Structure formats: structure tokens, C-alpha cells
Amino acid sequence: ILVMGIFSCQDPNAPTTEYTVTVSGIAINKSNAAQDSVVVTLDNPFRRDTTKTDGSFSYSFTSSEKNEITASFKFSHINLSFRDTILTRTYSATKKSITFGEVTLTGVTSAQDSVPPTKASNHAGIVAFVSSSFQTISIRGAGGNDATNLTFEVRDSLGTPVDEKNKVTVSFKLLTKPDNLVELNHATAITSSNGQVVVQMSSGDKAGIAQVQASFTAKRAVDTTKIDTIRSQIVSVTIAGGLPVASRFTIGSAKVNIPGLIKFNLRNMISAVVGDTFGNPVQQGTLVYFSTTGGIILPFSKTAEDGTVSVDLITGNPIPSSGIAVITAQVGTPGAMSTGAITSGTVDESIIIKGLRGKTKSTAKDAVKNSRLAKTTSTFTKTINVLFTGAPRITSNDSTFFVPPLGTKQIQFTVDDINGNPMSEGTSIKVTGIGLDTTGAVLTGNLDNTLKDTYDKSYTKFNISIADKRTKNISANVPITINVEVSGDNGNIKKSFTGVLSSGVSGDSGKVGSI
């Protein structure tokens, strides 16, 4: 039954011999201007044709398929000024002709869509820069875009792009370049039917500015025995984003002290800045790997355009020893990082070979062996400490005290956690007295404190002074209470210190008055 079903789907009248299928059409833009240099590719069987100056294309192929076949056709412009377009058509033994008619391509920029149909031009008069595929490219082998296509257009004196009849040969020259590895893929090119030429510039091993100028020669209109050289504006391309180096690698933390011993799932941003040997940001997308000895941290992230990267450190287990979590950031070449592991000395051939344009794969591999790039794949790390602090505690050797008559008493106290570390940023530590008045005792010193973000243990020590300023009742023992109140993200706590303003009279003989 299955076999019968299969044969029932076939056309019994279809021939078993080969037949020829023809394909034709015209490529245009949205303004109905014919587009040459459009590659039309059939996937199966593989066929390819490039549109002519009038935008037309035509080719044929043979097939012996009995059933109707759906074929996919891809339209791609050589200089990437139009977006790829994919269309499907069917053919069979009874439908041997595929006619597309006009295929409208969408420009990468609106300017390409609005180019009017080509009109006849006069002799070439000027050459203008049109566009570049990338204004900034990376250093060769850094894993980013290390080449850019520069498009120039030759026009007549009225600004009309030169046509096929008035085509010229345009020369390209590198005026300045960071090193001798910066190169152009060809020295000359002949203008297309719309007057355009494209040259590709590839980067070298150094950052800097590369400048390109296009030119052509033309006879003078008034004196054809004289020849002028017509030059374009100078086009500058920035080359940056090299491999990361340890001297340009920095790690930092939004806060260095967080209440991580008592609060879980707190998030603290860890950031890194990665630069190349020239002081420029590394290539966007460079991976940085992170690890921690306390809590957890996102394992990796990719650098932004400015070479920065950030991940969250999340409080939780394991509790770091002595409350100090060590955060480590590690970076290497894009090749070492792209494998998912940080391995010193690893070379990603796909990235390095990408930078060796114009060479076969085997030639590129040989070049890698002697390339400086193969020596720059070491990884390096930076660390930073983040303090996980706990609940506050208040301690002092002066929990009880007495102030000598008309004298002064110094009281020291400590506010820290179980590891002796200071409280987190914003913690308030206030000292107040009960039973004091302006004619009695006066408190001075660290009475009102707000902590900054720090792990410095000197910020756990505080001092106050109690001075006996009585003008009456000097012979009485006056009880006083000192309160220390701590409040903040680490928690709240209060401790009281008790003491007396001891008795005595002005001009005391020094003899014992009471015990």
C-alpha cells in the first residue's frame, strides 16, 4: 500500500529523460534603477550568475526530476550595499521556464534605495567617497572586524555617476598607516555601470589611523593633450581594539564592604576594564572570566565597546574566611577564551587565520607558526577583596567608669562584627548621655558617626570624653548613663555605659573623701 501511495503521487505522464530549465530576471532598487554586480545563486543544483549593467541575469541547468521541485534563489550584491534577498520558485518537466521579472532589492541605507535610474553621463570629472562598511576596525587577529570595504563613486561635472561608456580606472593609495601590514586588496579597479568602485582595507598589528585616497587620470576637455589627476577626499579609518595586556587590565567593586554574613542574595557589581597595549579598549566581545571565594559570581561576560565588563557578586555560601571574599578576574586572547576555558598558550586558529586575509588555509597555518600573534595568547588575572560583614557588636573596657571631680574621663569603645571588621557603608553610630545638663557633664568626641564604604579596621575604634563641668553639687556623686546606638544594614544594637561624676570640692586637699 505504501509503495502504491508513493507512485500515486508521481505524474504518470512525466518523462524520464533530462530536460533544461531556464532562469531569467532583472535586479533593480526601489527607485527602479537597474543593479549590476548582483550575484544570483541557485542552491540545488548549484548555479550562479551575476547581473549585467542593465541588471539582467540568465542561465540554465538540466534536471531529470519527475516531481515538481521548489528551488531557492539568493540575490547578493558584491559590495554589500543591498541586503540579501531569498526567493523560491518551482520547476518541473512541464514547467521549464523560471521568469522572475523585476526583483527589487532593499538598500542597506536609504540612499541606495533612492538612487534614480541611470542616465547617460558625460566624461568623468570627480571621484567622491560614498561609504565604508566599518569606520573602526580591530587590530589583525584580535577576533573582530579587521577589514572594511571603502566605496568611491566617479561622477561627471554635473554629479551624474559615470556610465559604462565613460568608465575609468581608479587607483587607490594608502597615504598613512600604523604599520606595513595594513594593506589594500587591490591597487586599481574599473568603475561599474553606476560609476562605483570598491576597495578593501585590512588592518595590521598596530593601532592608529590609516588614510586612503582614490584617484584617476582624465584628459582636459579644452586641451586633450593635457592629462589631469583627479583625487578624492582623504578617507580615515581608525584601527584599534587589539589583544588585552596585563598592564591595561583593572578590576573594581561597587562596594568593598557588604553585610554578606547575615544577608543572602545581596548583589554587588564587580567591574573590569580591559585595554590593549596602545591604551585603547580591547575588541568588543572579549571574554572576561570571574571566580570568588565567597558567595557566587556570574562566570563570565563580554566587554562592551569601551572595554568594560560587569557581573554581579551574590552573597551566600560559602562564607569566606575571616569575612574576606577574594574576587578574581581572568582574561586572555579571544582564541583562549572562546574555547570555554582559560588555558595559557592556547591559539584559536580560526581567529588568527581570519586575520591573514588573501592566503589559503594551509598557508595561513604556516604563517601562524612564525606570527607574533601566536606568542600573545597568555592569560593574566587581577584580584580584589570584598568584605562580607556580620551583625554589629559593641565592646569596651570602660563599661563602668567614674569622672574625677571637675576632671575628664576618656572612654574608648569598639563597633565591629565577629571577625573584627567594620560595619558597611551608611551605618550610624551615635552616643548620647542621660542625666547630663549644660552645667553638669559635657560629652565630646565621636558622638555622631556615619561610616563610609571601607574595610579599614581603624573605623571600628571610637573615643569620647566626659568632662565634669558642675558649678554646684560638687560634693555629690551624680550618676550618669552613656548610650551607644548602632543602626544600619548590618542590624541595630544598643549598649549603655554607667558611671558617676564623683564628689569633691574646688581646691581639694587630695585626701581620700570616700570609697
Side-chain angles (χ1 to χ4, degrees):
I1 294 173
L2 177 60
V3 172
M4 292 176 63
I6 292 175
F7 279 98
S8 68
C9 294
Q10 297 180 350
D11 184 356
N13 298 320
T16 58
T17 59
E18 290 186 344
Y19 54 92
T20 300
V21 180
T22 60
V23 181
S24 62
I26 298 176
I28 61 174
N29 70 354
K30 289 186 176 181
S31 297
N32 296 320
Q35 300 299 314
D36 64 349
S37 304
V38 177
V39 179
V40 184
T41 305
L42 171 63
D43 59 350
N44 186 23
F46 180 78
R47 293 291 185 276
R48 176 179 290 174
D49 189 28
T50 302
T51 58
K52 301 176 179 60
T53 55
D54 61 356
S56 64
F57 62 92
S58 177
Y59 58 86
S60 61
F61 61 90
T62 59
S63 176
S64 58
E65 297 287 348
K66 298 179 180 179
N67 299 319
E68 186 174 81
I69 302 299
T70 299
S72 176
F73 295 83
K74 182 178 180 180
F75 296 78
S76 304
H77 204 283
I78 288 178
N79 66 8
L80 307 179
S81 55
F82 289 87
R83 304 183 191 281
D84 291 350
T85 299
I86 298 177
L87 300 176
T88 57
R89 292 292 187 273
T90 59
Y91 66 86
S92 66
T94 59
K95 185 180 179 182
K96 305 174 185 178
S97 177
I98 300 176
T99 304
F100 282 92
E102 293 181 340
V103 178
T104 302
L105 304 181
T106 301
V108 174
T109 64
S110 58
Q112 296 293 339
D113 291 331
S114 59
V115 174
T118 303
K119 60 181 180 180
S121 71
N122 294 317
H123 295 296
I126 60 173
V127 55
F129 173 66
V130 177
S131 64
S132 61
S133 54
F134 301 102
Q135 293 180 341
T136 299
I137 58 178
S138 73
I139 290 174
R140 176 178 296 196
N145 297 310
D146 54 6
T148 181
N149 291 333
L150 306 177
T151 303
F152 296 87
E153 187 173 83
V154 179
R155 303 164 184 166
D156 63 17
S157 59
L158 299 178
T160 302
V162 295
D163 52 22
E164 187 77 16
K165 181 180 178 181
N166 295 288
K167 63 184 179 181
V168 296
T169 298
V170 178
S171 299
F172 307 102
K173 184 178 182 180
L174 272 168
L175 301 181
T176 59
K177 52 185 178 179
D179 61 19
N180 290 329
L181 291 178
V182 178
E183 59 186 4
L184 303 177
N185 66 336
H186 49 243
T188 61
I190 300 175
T191 55
S192 63
S193 61
N194 59 357
Q196 292 189 350
V197 288
V198 179
V199 63
Q200 184 182 84
M201 189 192 76
S202 55
S203 64
D205 285 346
K206 290 185 178 181
I209 301 294
Q211 294 182 317
V212 180
Q213 190 173 46
S215 65
F216 67 91
T217 57
K219 293 181 180 180
R220 292 184 184 178
V222 294
D223 185 357
T224 57
T225 63
K226 303 290 181 64
I227 295 178
D228 292 327
T229 299
I230 313 299
R231 294 181 174 85
S232 72
Q233 69 186 85
I234 296 174
V235 179
S236 298
V237 176
T238 301
I239 300 175
L243 298 174
V245 293
S247 60
R248 307 281 185 175
F249 185 31
T250 310
I251 183 175
S253 176
K255 291 187 176 182
V256 299
N257 185 334
I258 56 178
L261 298 185
I262 56 172
K263 293 184 178 180
F264 300 136
N265 199 28
L266 286 180
R267 297 180 180 246
N268 182 48
M269 183 180 293
I270 304 297
S271 301
V273 181
V274 191
D276 64 13
T277 187
F278 307 101
N280 303 129
V282 294
Q283 181 63 29
Q284 184 175 357
T286 298
L287 285 173
V288 181
Y289 176 78
F290 295 90
S291 61
T292 179
T293 61
I296 62 173
I297 194 169
L298 298 182
F300 69 89
S301 189
K302 298 180 180 180
T303 57
E305 183 179 6
D306 59 0
T308 61
V309 60
S310 298
V311 296
D312 280 341
L313 170 66
I314 306 171
T315 59
N317 290 323
I319 301 300
S321 175
S322 302
I324 301 174
V326 180
I327 317 302
T328 301
Q330 194 171 34
V331 70
T333 65
M337 301 300 294
S338 63
T339 61
I342 313 293
T343 305
S344 179
T346 300
V347 179
D348 187 336
E349 283 189 353
S350 64
I351 289 178
I352 293 179
I353 292 173
K354 178 182 178 181
L356 301 174
R357 295 159 299 276
K359 298 178 175 63
T360 64
K361 187 172 183 181
S362 60
T363 303
K365 284 185 177 180
D366 292 337
V368 168
K369 296 179 181 179
N370 299 318
S371 172
R372 181 188 61 81
L373 297 173
K375 301 176 183 179
T376 57
T377 56
S378 60
T379 60
F380 34 85
T381 62
K382 295 287 183 178
T383 61
I384 190 173
N385 294 339
V386 175
L387 201 60
F388 282 31
T389 51
R393 62 182 184 178
I394 303 172
T395 57
S396 175
N397 293 327
D398 299 306
S399 296
T400 59
F401 62 89
F402 74 94
V403 182
L406 301 180
T408 302
K409 171 62 178 177
Q410 298 289 332
I411 294 180
Q412 295 184 339
F413 65 93
T414 300
V415 178
D416 59 9
D417 70 356
I418 191 173
N419 294 310
N421 294 316
M423 297 296 97
S424 60
E425 183 180 20
T427 297
S428 172
I429 303 172
K430 292 186 178 182
V431 180
T432 57
I434 298 177
L436 303 178
D437 56 52
T438 55
T439 60
V442 176
L443 296 180
T444 56
N446 306 133
L447 303 180
D448 192 351
N449 311 275
T450 301
L451 297 185
K452 63 180 183 179
D453 182 35
T454 181
Y455 48 72
D456 186 348
K457 291 189 176 183
S458 66
Y459 285 89
T460 64
K461 308 296 184 181
F462 303 91
N463 295 278
I464 61 173
S465 178
I466 306 174
D468 185 356
K469 299 293 185 178
R470 290 178 294 176
T471 58
K472 57 183 179 179
N473 297 328
I474 297 176
S475 61
N477 290 323
V478 179
I480 59 173
T481 300
I482 305 299
N483 290 329
V484 178
E485 295 183 78
V486 178
S487 59
D489 290 340
N490 293 77
N492 304 328
I493 190 174
K494 178 179 178 180
K495 185 176 179 65
S496 297
F497 296 47
T498 60
V500 295
L501 301 179
S502 63
S503 61
V505 294
S506 179
D508 186 8
S509 64
K511 296 180 180 180
V512 174
S514 62
I515 297 179

